[in-house]
Amino acid sequence: MKKLRPSLCLLLLALLAAAVSQALAREPRQANLLSNPSFEDPYNADGSASGWVRWHRDTQTKPENCSDAYAFLPQWSRETNGSLVRDGFISQHVGNQFDTWNAGVFQTVNVTPGTTYRFSFWAIGRASNEQYPTPSDQAVTLGVSAGIDPNGSGLWTDADVVWGGAASPHDTGNQANWQQVAVEATATGNQITVFVSANLMGANNCRAHLDVWFDAAQLVEVGPPPTDTPPPQPTVSPAPQITNTPVPPTPTATSEAEAEASPTATSEPTVAPTDTPEPSPMGLLCVNAFGDVNADGQHDPDEGAMAGVNFTVAAGDRIVQRAVSTGPEPICFELEPGNYQVVQEVPPTLEMTTGATAGITLAEGQTVRVEFGSRVRQQVAEEGDAGDPAPAATAGAPEEEADEAAPRSILAYSGLAALFLGIALLGGLIYMLLRQRA
Ligand SMILES: [Ca+2]
Ligand SMILES: [Ca+2]
Ligand SMILES: [Ca+2]
């Protein structure tokens, strides 16, 4: 009996440890559903990272002197230059010399129908006639965007692909201007396809170097569909409530980006940033809307700006800025470095062709541009009463990356609670055993 006690204690301890670790493992986590999300080794012979498949647009013909938009086959390769890697050791590079391109990589993932997913990745790009690392020529649109095909066709041309807002994360010379793009969509089948994309097509966009690097992709479950997933019927609702816990700002290395896009005369709304302990260098967020005539989610060179689209910029659950698009000039906000949600709301005459929300991370001195697509509502324009809504359905509700921080802290608390409970129980047990012995 006496001999048994120490071993009994050990056994109990082991059982307790197992129980605690099991409890922790059972907690829901924001699992990344992608295969090789960081574009690490090994690489396929065609230059794409394993787990990913190449896709590209080929317009076949080339206008003289780059006077019009066209796209040729680019090159895919593994990038090992550490300053062009966001995460791990390798990033996925896609680039071309002199010829513009529209391409990327994709993968198809098993999912639960009816569930909403968020796909995001980071990118940085460089368009220049000079050798690396001369800063990128900001006149060239990089058109970096994330796409989801809700029923997993694997076809980037599929009409129901939902595209997020497009960004042009130009390298300002120090490789710090990595930007994240994201999109949300609700799965309509048991697979979805996620697309990493850049579109450098455009008149006079040709440069000796046209490169974009992709890294740190993520596909997470956001939640079940918001009751009904209605088409993007824009209500003139006050503010999209974004359930969010404040995310700690992650300022990357400082970049003295020439924020040449001066904010001109945007009316500074009343909602001022709250406590600023020390005036820190600001970043510039520029938003605009384009008229996506062919509803492919891409800002094609022949498509102009769209006026009358409402933008809301939020940090956590705090509305930071609001604005309405007016034309070709983007609206720029000077903001503190940090994470922001940009939400577009369109008037009833329009329908969205890209996602309604974009999550961005703004670093010190950085300029981040976000573009949203929409077009004149087709049913209104054509038929009086069509059965089906427009094909280009929108991304999910504005409840964004919300839960990334929350579940983690719940997890941490419940794990700690379990641990303390276990220690208390064990203490009581040992006490009793010792008392028995005495
Ligand atoms: Ca990587
Ligand atoms: Ca499809
Ligand atoms: Ca378009």
Side-chain angles (χ1 to χ4, degrees), residues 37-40 85-92 214-216:
S38 183
F39 306 97
E40 298 293 300
V85 172
R86 171 85 195 180
D87 178 69
F89 302 99
I90 322 265
S91 68
Q92 174 75 63
F214 306 100
D215 208 350

Side-chain angles (χ1 to χ4, degrees), residues 79-436:
E79 179 63 65
T80 54
N81 179 341
S83 50
L84 293 167
V85 172
R86 171 85 195 180
D87 178 69
F89 302 99
I90 322 265
S91 68
Q92 174 75 63
H93 166 253
V94 183
N96 226 0
Q97 295 198 318
F98 301 104
D99 289 319
T100 51
W101 54 273
N102 177 200
V105 290
F106 72 88
Q107 73 174 253
T108 299
V109 181
N110 291 330
V111 295
T112 312
T115 300
T116 300
Y117 294 88
R118 173 186 164 86
F119 173 56
S120 63
F121 62 86
W122 291 81
I124 191 167
R126 193 171 168 275
S128 180
N129 287 320
E130 312 296 325
Q131 290 295 329
Y132 175 88
T134 309
S136 181
D137 185 344
Q138 311 246 350
V140 178
T141 309
L142 302 178
V144 172
S145 66
I148 296 180
D149 185 335
N151 65 351
S153 71
L155 290 173
W156 65 276
T157 49
D158 217 8
D160 59 346
V161 173
V162 181
W163 291 99
S168 288
H170 285 283
D171 177 16
T172 54
N174 60 0
Q175 300 81 50
N177 194 25
W178 284 86
Q179 292 178 22
Q180 190 183 35
V181 294
V183 66
E184 282 183 18
T186 301
T188 56
N190 55 14
Q191 290 191 321
I192 59 174
T193 304
V194 297
F195 297 93
V196 166
S197 172
N199 183 358
L200 288 79
M201 287 169 45
N204 306 314
N205 271 5
C206 300
R207 297 291 185 278
H209 305 279
L210 295 164
D211 301 294
V212 180
W213 292 265
F214 306 100
D215 208 350
Q218 194 184 39
L219 178 67
V220 294
E221 196 178 302
V222 177
T227 59
D228 202 15
T229 26
Q233 290 288 354
T235 51
V236 193
S237 63
Q241 76 285 31
I242 292 167
T243 58
N244 210 345
T245 47
V247 190
T250 51
T252 58
T254 55
S255 65
E256 72 277 17
E258 293 89 325
E260 26 72 83
S262 66
T264 62
T266 50
S267 57
E268 290 278 327
T270 43
V271 201
T274 55
D275 39 25
T276 16
E278 292 144 16
S280 59
M282 306 290 264
L284 201 63
L285 169 64
C286 297
V287 295
N288 208 1
F290 65 94
D292 191 6
V293 178
N294 58 2
D296 64 350
Q298 311 275 328
H299 189 173
D300 298 306
D302 58 343
E303 291 171 336
M306 181 68 83
V309 173
N310 284 281
F311 299 112
T312 307
V313 182
D317 53 5
R318 184 167 57 94
I319 305 283
V320 183
Q321 294 282 8
R322 288 174 192 277
V324 182
S325 66
T326 53
E329 284 307 306
I331 302 160
C332 298
F333 307 113
E334 243 190 3
L335 299 169
E336 290 172 48
N339 292 341
Y340 295 94
Q341 293 295 325
V342 190
V343 180
Q344 78 158 339
E345 286 176 283
V346 299
T349 49
L350 300 181
E351 62 186 358
M352 299 185 199
T353 60
T354 63
T357 64
I360 66 124
T361 302
L362 193 62
E364 259 180 36
Q366 188 183 35
T367 301
V368 173
R369 293 181 172 80
V370 181
E371 270 201 322
F372 293 93
S374 57
R375 65 170 177 177
V376 174
R377 190 167 280 281
Q378 294 303 289
Q379 304 97 307
V380 175
E382 292 157 16
E383 311 120 49
D385 193 316
D388 293 292
T394 178
E399 44 200 79
E400 270 288 336
E401 52 190 288
D403 338 279
E404 216 169 279
R408 209 173 289 147
S409 51
I410 292 168
L411 172 94
Y413 288 135
S414 58
L416 273 179
L419 198 67
F420 284 133
L421 187 70
I423 289 169
L425 280 173
L426 188 70
L429 214 85
I430 290 171
Y431 174 75
M432 275 166 57
L433 286 171
L434 289 175
R435 256 192 84 181
Q436 261 189 17

